[in-house]
Amino acid sequence: MRTVIEFRVEYLQRLDPDGNAVGELPAFARDPDEVLRMYRAMTLARAFDAKAVNLQRTGQLGTYASCLGHEATHIGIGAAMRAEDVFAPVYREVGTQLWRGVTMREILLYWGGDERGNDFSGPRADFPWCVPIATQTLHAAGAAMAFKIRREPRCAVATIGDGGTSEGAFYEALNVAGARALPVVFAVVNNGWAISVPVAAQTAARTLAQKAIAAGIPGLQVDGNDVFAVREAMSAALERARGGGGPTLVEALTYRLSDHTTADDASRYRSAREVDDARALEPLLRTRRFLEKAGRWNADRERELLAECARTIDAAVADHLAAPRPSTDAMFDHLFANLPERIREQRIAARRHAGTDGH
Amino acid sequence: MAHGWEMQHDPAVVVIGEDVGANGGVFRATQGLQQRFGAERVQDTPLAEAAIAGIAIGMAAQGLKPIAEIQFMGFLYPALDQIINHMSRLRHRTRGRLTCPIVMRMPHGGGIHAPEHHSESVETLLCHVPGLRVVSPSSPARAYGLLLAAIRDPDPVMFLEPTRLYRASRQEVPDDGRALPLDRAFVLREGADVTIVAWGAMIAETLQASAELADTGVDAEVIDLATLSPIDATTILDSVAKTGRLVIVQEAARNVGVGAEIAAIAAEDGLFDLLAPIRRVTGYDTVMPLHRLEREYIPSVRRIVDAVRGTMADPR
Ligand SMILES: Cc1ncc(C[n+]2csc(CCOP(=O)(O)OP(=O)(O)O)c2C)c(N)n1
Ligand SMILES: [Mg+2]
């Protein structure tokens, strides 16, 4: 027998948990202002996230999926993308969305149970949140196909969780993207858990990155708690895609430090010890240490930043809480470009019944 | 509870699905089963609904009786290829040689402030498929008895569990292994003036409405459809023959719903018993809204009462 093909999966880390550079840093990481920009964005995402969880706990928001622990992955993806690229998220990528200009008010509207939250005022071409797992990966492939047909130098990025990589749609997306050399990057956010199911129970594959190999596209792992590594790998993949080189899969290894959502209780299925160990590797701390070592950060600045985040968030929350309840018309508006007559009649009936639910 | 009883008494019964093991299901419907029966008979599957339905078919065809959980009905769609093209018709295609004694359980409907795609009522999709039974319980006791019947049934049963039921109802249910009949509607309240047919979570609003109506002298008969496909036409037609009036309540969108089928049955086989036009109280023909408006979508007690009053006032 002879070997027809061999493969290997590489792992990229640029910032260790103590905040030391690993290997040669990419240009953006050598620019302290750029690092500061990413650190601020990560901090804002975390602070916003904590506020959202709080609002849920006090009955002012619906079920919410926390991004705690994912900040480096989310900001790394956002910072690598261009504004004109298109993002197809799942439901947890608050950091990427804030970076791309989705507003806090929109995020709160969505999780507060109001479709207006999906009408992004910033990234108008981005896809909305996507709850049906893995379906978004095909939308990203399709968007990439549109860019390719129209010869636009744009890329699509889809995120997907570790659990999501078990769905058929994910493989279909990888396959079509590889077969047509589409300008798309699949960012697999491997946070160890799909609700109560650990990655090892999803697949016998040693890495999720290697799932790309079967589709004939490159796949690599990065330290998902290292914003430098995520951005570097995503940038390289996007550059390759933009240049006609086809898709890439980037598996970011991170950890879900929170419950799956506010409706979940992770203590039912995972140990506090595991979470504590993971917390020691979390992404903000190492970025702050890096900045401190570079003489660009200290406790005062941290305090100022947190205060500034709190002000921004409080204003957005106040704005959100003041948003008037949508009228019953919102149920029907935008269902079709031209609402059929039978449904127009139902819209009128719904107005008549409005508020009769007793809730 | 029904799971446990039947697993205890029938070694062929297995439970599969997302998060059904250590976590006991997101609504805790399979809580404790993995500890009791082990990680082979109670398995977390990879996150893939086509796989859940497809392996259930494989296991069932080879002698097991899978109870497969789909985490929410809105995530059923990847499994529909397996359910419609294979599960519903394996018996028919193989002339009875291979069969699918499978229960597909799934949370159904809204009203619990859940996120997008978690609150839809799409029973009609399943009711339209030949070879499937579609069942929806309206209370914990009915869930116990009907689930037992579904597990024991030799054919696939789609078991739609109203999400409001998990949250709202507390009821002591004896764990006695006694099944309720499938393909049978239940008369929950006898009445002389009007027949109201509902199922699943809408039974609560319907009973409330009938109590309100009773206060104003309208005596409603309430029928819990329970098995949505095939429909127990006899129970409905007998009731309509008595009352002469029919109101159908469903949470799902109106268009081509189960309510339309019931109305058609009454029109075809009970027209001369009817004293007034049939009325339907339904969800609207639009997407189930996110939770701020979900209660505007789900038929309210008021809407049911209004419809019944309307039909009582209708000239014949
Ligand atoms: C098709 C589909 N099936 C099931 C669900 C229910 N569900 C929501 S999140 C989740 C786990 C997802 O895990 P993963 O892909 O790892 O993403 P994470 O939540 O960890 O970010 C499940 C099973 C869903 N949303 N969509
Ligand atoms: Mg995960």
Side-chain angles (χ1 to χ4, degrees):
Chain A
M1 270 206 288
R2 67 197 169 82
T3 303
V4 179
I5 186 166
E6 282 179 305
F7 71 90
R8 95 201 127 101
V9 172
E10 289 180 333
Y11 174 84
L12 181 70
Q13 186 188 53
R14 286 291 178 231
L15 196 55
D16 74 15
D18 295 324
N20 299 311
V22 178
E24 196 192 330
L25 290 184
F28 69 81
R30 280 181 268 124
D31 172 357
D33 289 335
E34 194 58 21
V35 178
L36 268 176
R37 194 156 81 98
M38 293 191 292
Y39 179 66
R40 287 170 170 279
M42 287 162 63
T43 306
L44 183 64
R46 178 167 294 185
F48 172 76
D49 192 71
K51 185 70 182 187
V53 171
N54 238 308
L55 288 171
Q56 192 281 333
R57 298 280 185 239
T58 53
Q60 294 166 288
L61 201 68
T63 303
Y64 173 77
S66 165
C67 72
L68 185 66
H70 302 71
E71 298 87 352
T73 296
H74 292 170
I75 299 300
I77 292 168
M81 291 176 71
R82 291 187 187 166
E84 67 268 26
D85 293 339
V86 157
F87 184 47
V90 199
Y91 43 72
R92 206 184 287 287
E93 293 82 348
V94 165
T96 315
Q97 292 186 314
L98 288 174
W99 183 281
R100 289 184 60 71
V102 176
T103 66
M104 291 176 186
R105 180 173 187 270
E106 287 157 0
I107 296 171
L108 294 171
L109 273 174
Y110 179 75
W111 294 106
D114 187 332
E115 282 79 2
R116 285 175 292 184
N118 270 330
D119 184 14
F120 303 150
S121 51
R124 295 293 292 166
D126 279 7
F127 288 92
W129 280 271
C130 184
V131 171
I133 304 264
T135 51
Q136 76 283 359
T137 55
L138 283 161
H139 308 158
M145 192 165 289
F147 303 151
K148 190 166 173 162
I149 288 170
R150 291 202 305 249
R151 309 248 184 299
E152 292 172 358
R154 299 164 71 191
C155 298
V157 172
T159 44
I160 181 164
D162 42 282
T165 65
S166 296
E167 290 276 7
F170 169 68
Y171 296 97
E172 295 174 28
L174 285 183
N175 186 64
V176 69
R180 297 290 176 269
L182 300 177
V184 56
V185 180
F186 301 102
V188 176
V189 184
N190 181 349
N191 60 10
W193 292 89
I195 310 186
S196 71
V197 180
V199 189
Q202 290 288 344
T203 176
R206 167 80 175 71
T207 71
L208 300 177
Q210 77 203 54
K211 297 200 173 199
I213 310 296
I217 69 179
L220 78 157
Q221 280 190 330
V222 302
D223 182 341
N225 293 334
D226 167 0
V227 69
F228 295 172
V230 176
R231 178 163 170 181
E232 181 179 337
M234 286 298 298
S235 296
L238 285 163
E239 206 172 305
R240 185 168 167 272
R242 223 180 294 280
T248 304
L249 187 163
V250 177
E251 177 189 2
L253 294 168
T254 179
Y255 191 86
R256 198 193 79 209
L257 288 171
S258 62
D259 292 334
H260 169 67
T261 64
T262 49
D264 176 49
D265 172 10
S267 71
R268 293 173 62 84
Y269 52 78
R270 68 180 186 186
S271 71
R273 172 82 194 279
E274 177 185 311
V275 182
D276 285 343
D277 290 350
R279 200 172 284 118
L281 301 175
E282 69 89 7
L284 265 66
L285 195 58
R286 70 177 75 181
T287 318
R288 188 162 88 217
R289 284 179 179 150
F290 176 85
L291 284 166
E292 280 166 1
K293 284 173 196 181
R296 296 293 304 248
W297 205 248
N298 56 36
D300 283 346
R301 291 210 176 145
E302 179 74 14
R303 221 170 303 122
E304 277 165 35
L305 174 60
L306 290 176
E308 183 190 318
C309 289
R311 280 194 299 276
T312 311
I313 293 163
D314 287 347
V317 169
D319 196 18
H320 163 65
L321 293 178
R325 183 180 145 101
S327 77
T328 54
D329 280 12
M331 293 196 286
F332 302 92
D333 294 344
H334 305 290
L335 180 66
F336 289 103
N338 303 303
L339 203 62
E341 194 187 332
R342 295 271 291 174
I343 309 183
R344 281 205 304 271
E345 288 165 9
Q346 291 186 14
R347 180 168 63 185
I348 292 166
R351 281 178 204 154
R352 201 168 58 240
H353 298 306
T356 64
D357 52 53
H359 285 263
Chain B
M1 227 162 52
H3 288 93
W5 176 281
E6 207 58 11
M7 292 190 81
Q8 189 72 50
H9 291 83
D10 184 350
V13 176
V14 297
V15 169
I16 60 170
E18 294 157 10
D19 305 286
V20 297
N23 199 37
V26 294
F27 286 105
R28 310 287 177 251
T30 57
Q31 182 155 340
L33 291 179
Q34 193 174 62
Q35 288 93 307
R36 239 176 110 189
F37 299 105
E40 215 156 47
R41 284 184 74 194
V42 182
Q43 278 201 35
D44 282 332
T45 58
L47 206 177
E49 289 74 15
I52 292 171
I55 63 175
I57 292 167
M59 291 193 289
Q62 303 307 322
L64 292 181
K65 293 186 188 167
I67 307 172
E69 177 174 307
I70 297 292
Q71 203 159 81
F72 284 88
M73 193 166 193
F75 309 133
L76 173 70
Y77 311 127
L80 284 178
D81 185 17
Q82 293 289 345
I83 293 173
I84 299 175
N85 280 327
H86 295 293
M87 198 182 289
S88 69
R89 62 176 82 179
L90 193 62
R91 173 189 296 281
H92 185 263
R93 286 175 62 218
T94 63
R95 308 283 85 193
R97 184 170 58 83
L98 299 176
T99 61
C100 287
I102 297 168
V103 182
M104 302 285 300
R105 295 179 37 246
M106 61 204 88
H108 172 255
I112 59 160
H113 272 59
E116 206 172 6
H117 306 285
H118 288 66
S119 302
E120 281 76 3
S121 302
V122 286
E123 64 268 26
T124 292
L125 296 180
L126 298 172
C127 290
H128 196 63
V129 180
L132 295 182
R133 270 197 174 70
V134 184
V135 173
S136 188
S138 61
S139 69
R142 231 159 270 284
Y144 180 84
L146 290 172
L147 183 56
L148 276 180
I151 304 169
R152 292 172 191 170
D153 191 83
D155 287 310
V157 177
M158 306 291 115
F159 200 81
L160 316 184
E161 303 175 355
T163 57
R164 296 209 284 293
L165 220 61
Y166 299 122
R167 293 287 160 90
S169 4
R170 288 277 166 271
Q171 183 182 16
E172 283 304 318
V173 181
D175 190 10
D176 56 7
R178 249 191 266 166
L180 287 167
L182 299 180
D183 302 357
R184 187 90 66 75
F186 301 92
V187 178
L188 298 186
R189 184 185 193 284
E190 291 193 23
D193 297 336
V194 56
T195 300
I196 314 179
V197 181
W199 54 92
M202 289 312 305
I203 288 293
E205 280 85 352
T206 303
L207 287 174
Q208 216 178 310
S210 62
E212 250 179 64
L213 287 159
D215 292 343
T216 57
V218 177
D219 188 18
E221 177 143 305
V222 175
I223 295 179
D224 175 1
L225 193 59
T227 298
L228 317 190
S229 182
I231 288 173
D232 172 7
T234 309
T235 300
I236 296 169
L237 290 169
D238 285 353
S239 176
V240 170
K242 185 171 71 173
T243 64
R245 291 183 159 86
L246 176 61
V247 173
I248 305 152
V249 180
Q250 76 180 27
E251 182 168 330
R254 190 179 193 82
N255 200 36
V256 204
V258 172
E261 186 61 31
I262 296 171
I265 288 170
E268 282 171 347
D269 297 326
L271 186 66
F272 300 121
D273 292 324
L274 286 168
L275 304 171
I278 299 162
R279 294 197 179 214
R280 283 181 287 163
V281 186
T282 70
Y284 300 110
D285 290 323
T286 188
V287 179
M288 178 69 176
L290 291 184
H291 64 79
R292 271 187 107 170
L293 287 179
E294 67 178 342
R295 284 289 176 175
E296 297 289 356
Y297 183 95
I298 298 169
S300 60
V301 173
R302 182 88 269 122
R303 281 175 66 194
I304 299 169
V305 168
D306 285 354
V308 171
R309 292 237 169 85
T311 197
M312 294 311 297
D314 271 335
R316 34 184 322 189

